[in-house]
Amino acid sequence: MNVDYYSLLAKAVAGKDEAARDQVYNDARNLIRKSSHLTREAVAMHTAALEDAIRRIELDLIAEGTKSAAEISATLSTDRNWRPAVITASAVVALIAVAALLYGYLANKQPIGAGMTASSSKASRGGEEAVMGDLKAGVDGGSSGDVLPFALQRQVVFYRTTVVPGSIVIDRENRFLYLIESNNSARRYGIGIADQCQKGGSFFHIASKLEWPEWKTPGTNTKDADALLASTGRPGSPLGARALLLDKPGLLIHGTNSPKTIGHLVASGCIRMVNDDVEDLYRRVPVETRVVFVS
């Protein structure tokens, strides 16, 4: 990450009251959202980094005794209605400095993420997203999310929702899966998503759980045993180490042998995660866990 949002925002909001800080935060969010040359994945990652910086700054204020827990809960909500505020002259100057730095970075740098370019996330200027190619069945691309941009790696984040703790929320648009925890927090995982799972219903439950699920190439003749055995029940399987089957045929959360496809539209499966992440999720959720899809 080449943008130090924490340092930039900390300087911009130093000594400001809650209303002034809120305005700076909101303007920074809008600046990222309106950066038309960024891909959707890059916008999501910049936004995640920005929100993490805001959370750290507000937690610092609590530690310093300048802000109550109730105030931070309100400030960190991205869905709140921002109340009108009159910004002091010094806050305006600070905001201009932050905006200049962000504009300079967003205009001249590649999107966040090793290998993440416009051609790899979008097929063309027309807006059609390219499908990220998979490794061949039987090829083990690794199980760790360490190769992914930080925003797509497993982490606990602030997340306000009315969904009950213990449930799973899948954000199709931003390519995140959230395991909801208490106290407005969630365990967030990066995901890849197949086109056939982009649309459909919103409310499901986990119907069953599988370890090293069997995978078959679409259209493969069952007599071609070698093609099946090469990727079944071991690293190299396109369905990965674990699978959580939902109560709708074809809808499942599973692992992958291609970690670098996380964050992208993918060619096969449904909702995919790196193997380490899907194993972590598998251990944490029982059958009948509620799964909510949002877009």
Side-chain angles (χ1 to χ4, degrees):
M1 178 78 66
N2 292 322
V3 178
D4 188 350
Y5 287 105
Y6 177 81
S7 295
L8 291 173
L9 290 178
K11 293 177 181 177
V13 303
K16 305 301 181 292
D17 61 18
E18 183 180 6
R21 293 196 308 274
D22 286 349
Q23 188 65 49
V24 173
Y25 298 152
N26 204 31
D27 286 345
R29 290 183 179 107
N30 290 333
L31 183 64
I32 292 174
R33 292 167 185 163
K34 293 178 181 178
S35 298
S36 59
H37 68 284
L38 289 179
T39 65
R40 179 175 58 190
E41 289 82 2
V43 169
M45 292 173 193
H46 277 288
T47 300
L50 176 67
E51 295 300 334
D52 181 66
I54 292 172
R55 178 183 63 82
R56 290 171 58 195
I57 290 169
E58 296 299 313
L59 288 174
D60 287 346
L61 292 176
I62 285 184
E64 294 169 3
T66 60
K67 188 176 178 70
S68 69
E71 287 176 321
I72 191 175
S73 179
T75 301
L76 293 178
S77 171
T78 58
D79 297 325
R80 66 177 293 183
N81 294 319
W82 299 90
R83 62 179 178 273
V86 178
I87 307 302
T88 64
S90 59
V92 173
V93 172
L95 178 59
I96 291 173
V98 172
L101 288 170
L102 291 182
Y103 271 125
Y105 176 84
L106 297 176
N108 298 311
K109 296 295 183 181
Q110 292 293 332
I112 299 174
M116 183 177 294
T117 64
S119 61
S120 67
S121 59
K122 297 288 182 182
S124 68
R125 292 291 183 180
E128 288 296 326
E129 184 177 0
V131 174
M132 188 73 166
D134 287 325
L135 296 175
K136 292 182 179 180
V139 176
D140 181 15
S143 295
S144 171
D146 292 345
V147 297
L148 301 176
F150 175 75
L152 291 172
Q153 295 179 23
R154 182 171 75 240
Q155 57 193 282
V156 176
V157 298
F158 178 86
Y159 191 76
R160 173 170 286 181
T161 180
T162 58
V163 177
V164 298
S167 302
I168 291 172
V169 173
I170 296 176
D171 184 343
R172 293 181 172 112
E173 182 72 14
N174 294 309
R175 311 287 161 76
F176 290 123
L177 181 151
Y178 297 89
L179 176 59
I180 306 303
E181 300 181 344
S182 59
N183 299 321
N184 292 323
S185 67
R187 194 169 299 271
R188 189 179 72 190
Y189 309 81
I191 62 172
I193 184 169
D195 188 59
Q196 62 268 27
C197 295
Q198 290 268 46
K199 300 179 181 178
S202 298
F203 301 100
F204 303 95
H205 291 84
I206 295 176
S208 60
K209 299 166 61 178
L210 299 174
E211 296 188 12
W212 289 107
E214 181 180 0
W215 177 85
K216 297 181 180 180
T217 304
T220 298
N221 190 313
T222 55
K223 294 181 181 180
D224 297 333
D226 291 342
L228 301 180
L229 293 175
S231 60
T232 299
R234 68 185 72 176
S237 169
L239 281 181
R242 302 289 185 270
L244 306 173
L245 281 63
L246 308 189
D247 51 357
K248 177 184 177 181
L251 199 60
L252 70 159
I253 303 165
H254 59 87
T256 181
N257 67 326
S258 304
K260 291 184 179 180
T261 60
I262 300 303
H264 296 275
L265 186 65
V266 298
S268 62
C270 188
I271 304 297
R272 68 171 61 175
M273 309 166 68
V274 296
N275 282 339
D276 286 355
D277 286 359
V278 78
E279 290 184 36
D280 182 79
L281 182 66
Y282 186 96
R283 290 191 295 268
R284 295 177 186 277
V285 298
V287 171
E288 296 300 325
T289 294
R290 188 182 189 189
V291 180
V292 181
F293 283 79
V294 297
S295 297

